[in-house]
Amino acid sequence: MRRPTAAVVGTIAGTALLVGARLGTPPAGDRAGQLAEETAGAPDQATPTTTGTAAPHPGAVSPSGTGRPAPPASSRTTASPKRTATATATRTRSSAPTSTGLRAGTYPGSTVTHKYGTLRVTITVAGGRISAITESYATSLPVSEQINQDALPKLRQEALAAQSARIDTVSGATYTSGAYRTSLQAAIDRAGG
Amino acid sequence: MAAARLGLRRVEQIMGTAISLHIADPLPPDELAALADETFAWLREVDRRFSTYRADSEISRLDAAAVDLADCSPDVSAVLDACAGLWRATGGWFDVYATGRLDPSGYVKGWAAQVASDRLVAAGAGNHCLNAGGDLRVRGRPASADKWRVGVRHPWLPDRTAWVLEGTDLAVATSALYERGLHVIDPYTGHPATFLRSVTVVGPDLGVADAYATAGVAMGEAGLNWLATLDGYESAAVCEDGRAFRSAGLPAVDSQP
């Protein structure tokens, strides 16, 4: 048992990675018990294990930590950025550790409040692996679930212009000192007004 | 016109590129010269401390573990802290280790110019344009108009603009592939990003705009949606296939002059 399937991980990138980092423990009962022990308790403390997600939303909670991001298990080309959620799994019921890794059970994460409501992620473990990840949105506004799913602003497409407008300065890719000499910016600097 | 003779313009080669300073305030010439001297001295200092092309820069020595972070200048800590925050804010797409070694240059140039611009304002030169090799900060207005007019370089035609932005308090940063080739690395694959040819970000802080533009290019197609979600920052992007996109609030002048 190693990482959860990409399809499962892809549903909630941040939390899945968080838990995913704890998977891959060697098949040993003690380690599995230890793992479940680790995830229980301290519900208010974020547990940043992996870093980096494919869900760059500035308003959402991101995993903390300054190390390098681990490559995501799922594809990152999505139509809209996913929310990240830092969740601490809290054990609600347990059973005997399996020989392959995680202790079976349902682990509700903490509730994350973001711009359009609150999000709670719940992870179900069975057979030593994550068998389900569910998201639930809880808000007082009936339309907010729709907002959660599809309210993000988009860039608007337009024709690419090619103007010779009067300008004071140019923003572009960093030119080398040599390339500067023949650049539009150099022409402006020479003209001096 | 007499107004065209006031103020100061100076260009110096620092950080491997050309830094263009235009101060429009009608201050005495020796004062303007002193402000320009200080501005360029600061940028040279930043280059000495942060250049990845200098083996003796603090950043290079830090990366080689020849020095501890605690023994580096406070600016180094501040920059690396800011980069860590931007790594989080961009979901890992702005990553100073994307190339395999420590390289904060996607933030440093913008940050340095932002600091320089802030100092000019504090010193009484609140009307200026500081362009650090394509990442720029405008404050106030030029002598001959109410707002600064900033062209966004066309991604294929070097002497044309794709957009003209207008403003009195703008940071404008562009990350693009038409000068240094495929130099923006996808931190998740280690391969060069290729989908977006040019990303321009506009907002209040040039270091942040610089990092966001870099992250946008690194993300490829997903960057188009991500850029639209930035709070307080507008953007414009051009795909390698020629499609152009802009945010709703981009301060662009839509008509020809």
Side-chain angles (χ1 to χ4, degrees):
Chain A
M1 183 282 298
R2 293 291 173 258
R3 295 175 190 276
T5 62
V8 171
V9 170
T11 55
I12 302 101
T15 304
L17 286 173
L18 173 70
V19 179
R22 294 188 177 277
L23 302 182
T25 56
D30 286 338
R31 288 295 294 274
Q34 206 173 46
L35 179 65
E37 228 76 48
E38 275 172 17
T39 56
D44 294 327
Q45 186 181 358
T47 54
T49 53
T50 58
T51 54
T53 71
H57 188 273
V61 177
S62 303
S64 60
T66 55
R68 293 202 58 198
S74 63
S75 166
R76 25 167 236 296
T77 54
T78 57
S80 57
K82 296 190 173 67
R83 303 257 189 274
T84 59
T86 301
T88 304
T90 321
R91 192 174 65 186
T92 52
R93 74 182 158 83
S94 63
S95 56
T98 68
S99 62
T100 51
L102 294 179
R103 181 170 297 184
T106 301
Y107 301 86
S110 52
T111 299
V112 176
T113 300
H114 62 95
K115 192 173 179 181
Y116 295 115
T118 58
L119 168 68
R120 186 178 221 194
V121 173
T122 300
I123 292 160
T124 304
V125 175
R129 52 195 286 279
I130 291 182
S131 60
I133 298 177
T134 56
E135 307 175 277
S136 58
Y137 302 97
T139 91
S140 58
L141 299 174
V143 298
S144 59
E145 179 161 347
Q146 182 181 349
I147 289 173
N148 276 325
Q149 312 225 352
D150 183 31
L152 300 167
K154 305 271 191 263
L155 299 186
R156 55 174 74 155
Q157 186 172 356
E158 60 180 27
L160 178 61
Q163 302 170 317
S164 300
R166 181 191 71 76
I167 51 177
D168 300 305
T169 193
V170 184
S171 180
T174 306
Y175 29 74
T176 60
S177 295
Y180 165 78
R181 288 190 209 103
T182 55
S183 70
L184 182 54
Q185 180 66 36
I188 292 168
D189 290 335
R190 282 192 296 269
Chain B
M1 281 192 295
R5 295 289 171 257
L6 296 175
L8 170 146
R9 287 173 175 272
R10 193 190 295 180
V11 181
E12 295 199 12
Q13 305 293 333
I14 308 173
M15 299 178 178
T17 188
I19 314 282
S20 304
L21 175 62
H22 177 175
I23 303 178
D25 296 90
L27 297 168
D30 55 347
E31 194 172 329
L32 290 170
L35 290 172
D37 290 346
E38 287 163 17
T39 297
F40 290 111
W42 159 247
L43 294 170
R44 290 211 156 79
E45 183 186 335
V46 170
D47 192 43
R48 275 193 297 275
R49 297 220 218 108
F50 288 91
S51 173
T52 56
Y53 295 98
R54 297 176 187 245
D56 61 349
S57 72
E58 289 188 274
I59 285 296
S60 293
R61 286 163 54 221
L62 188 62
D63 195 35
V67 67
D68 288 333
L69 182 59
D71 298 322
C72 292
S73 60
D75 281 338
V76 170
S77 294
V79 163
L80 294 181
D81 279 348
C83 289
L86 289 160
W87 175 83
R88 289 191 289 272
T90 61
W93 289 97
F94 176 77
D95 181 355
V96 298
Y97 287 99
T99 60
R101 56 168 294 194
L102 176 60
D103 182 1
S105 52
Y107 173 75
V108 167
K109 183 154 68 76
W111 163 78
Q114 176 70 41
V115 169
S117 176
D118 291 342
R119 290 180 180 178
L120 286 170
V121 171
N127 296 279
H128 62 262
C129 170
L130 175 59
N131 189 331
D135 296 329
L136 57 97
R137 193 67 171 81
V138 295
R139 312 296 268 262
R141 49 182 283 272
S144 53
D146 288 336
K147 299 179 187 179
W148 292 99
R149 288 170 62 94
V150 177
V152 176
R153 199 269 219 193
H154 191 283
W156 282 277
L157 305 173
D159 58 345
R160 299 294 182 102
T161 57
W163 289 276
V164 176
L165 313 174
E166 264 196 336
T168 60
D169 190 9
L170 299 178
V172 183
T174 297
S175 181
L177 306 182
Y178 48 75
E179 288 285 347
R180 289 184 281 160
L182 304 179
H183 67 102
V184 178
I185 304 299
D186 176 333
Y188 288 99
T189 64
H191 298 313
T194 59
F195 186 90
L196 293 175
R197 186 172 176 90
S198 176
V199 172
T200 298
V201 175
V202 183
D205 186 279
L206 189 57
V208 171
D210 202 356
Y212 282 172
T214 304
V217 173
M219 281 179 211
E221 186 164 19
L224 293 174
N225 285 326
W226 176 75
L227 288 167
T229 67
L230 297 177
D231 278 337
Y233 287 83
E234 304 295 333
S235 57
V238 183
C239 307
E240 198 60 55
D241 66 13
R243 288 179 294 154
F245 293 83
R246 55 176 277 186
S247 60
L250 184 73
V253 175
D254 287 321
S255 54
Q256 291 282 342

